[in-house]
Amino acid sequence: MNAMTQDNLRSAFGGESQAHMRYRIWAEKAEKDGFPAVARLFMATSDAEQVHATLHFKALKDIHGGFTVVSGGEFGLGTTSENLAGGIAGEMHEVTQMYPAYISVAEMQGEKAAVQAMKFAVAAEQVHADCYRLAKASVDAGKDLEAKAIELCPVCGYISLTGEEDSCPICNAKKSVFVAY
């Protein structure tokens, strides 16, 4: 695998790993603030970030050794509204900046596994940002998120707030594999 794609995958792995933990911490805060559905959304998104980190790690399957990893991440424990704003900012950075650049490099270098892993991630991250926007609007109005269901596709990290899909709109995984929160 080309060195630049390796670096990008390691950076993406680091960022997704940080998001996984950050969203778990923010879920605890949302629960304490009286927003149980928002807490479930944070937990589902945390697990989605683990899906992405795992895809990146597997794309690096032939790379061994210790590496310093540079990755960006949102920090701070604020109100649930502030934490949702941080989630939106982080997800949109990945959608508009990080993944488009990383995908272009991986495509140029012919790294098919890396391209697939990152395309799943960027599509799911847009959905995460949209879910966080809905949640933030509810929280800012003093209400919990209204969601018929909160379900995660464990293949690509897509999140549904309705549970109405027959299959994942990103990776076509069957609904039967979705995880409910």
Side-chain angles (χ1 to χ4, degrees):
M1 178 178 286
N2 287 284
M4 193 174 206
T5 294
Q6 286 180 45
D7 287 345
N8 290 344
L9 279 170
R10 283 191 291 269
S11 176
F13 174 84
E16 299 291 1
S17 299
Q18 288 178 51
H20 169 68
M21 291 308 302
R22 179 174 50 253
Y23 293 157
R24 287 185 124 45
I25 294 165
W26 288 350
E28 291 174 10
K29 176 68 169 140
E31 189 72 41
K32 288 178 187 171
D33 286 351
F35 300 108
V38 173
R40 290 186 1 254
L41 175 60
F42 272 131
M43 289 302 289
T45 312
S46 170
D47 289 347
E49 306 304 353
Q50 183 177 2
V51 167
H52 300 157
T54 300
L55 290 171
H56 301 333
F57 194 85
K58 287 181 177 179
L60 287 162
K61 67 182 180 355
D62 296 325
I63 308 304
H64 302 277
F67 300 91
T68 298
V69 176
V70 177
S71 58
E74 295 288 319
F75 283 84
L77 181 60
T79 66
T80 296
S81 178
E82 291 167 338
N83 295 340
L84 286 163
I88 294 165
E91 300 295 317
M92 290 311 298
H93 168 75
E94 292 175 343
V95 168
T96 63
Q97 301 292 314
M98 186 183 87
Y99 280 121
Y102 289 1
I103 290 167
S104 291
V105 169
E107 285 175 337
M108 180 186 69
Q109 295 181 335
E111 302 290 359
K112 291 179 183 176
V115 169
Q116 184 63 59
M118 291 187 278
K119 282 188 173 183
F120 278 170
V122 73
E125 304 299 13
Q126 180 65 62
V127 173
H128 301 169
D130 294 342
C131 290
Y132 283 165
R133 282 188 191 95
L134 289 172
K136 186 173 182 339
S138 294
V139 168
D140 289 348
K143 300 183 286 186
D144 197 9
L145 173 67
E146 290 185 26
K148 292 180 183 177
I150 299 175
E151 297 178 344
L152 166 69
C153 173
V155 176
C156 70
Y158 170 79
I159 293 176
S160 171
L161 297 181
T162 65
E164 296 173 351
E165 300 85 351
D166 292 325
S167 62
C168 178
I170 295 173
C171 72
N172 294 316
K174 294 182 183 198
K175 181 178 174 66
S176 62
V177 302
F178 281 29
V179 178
Y181 290 81

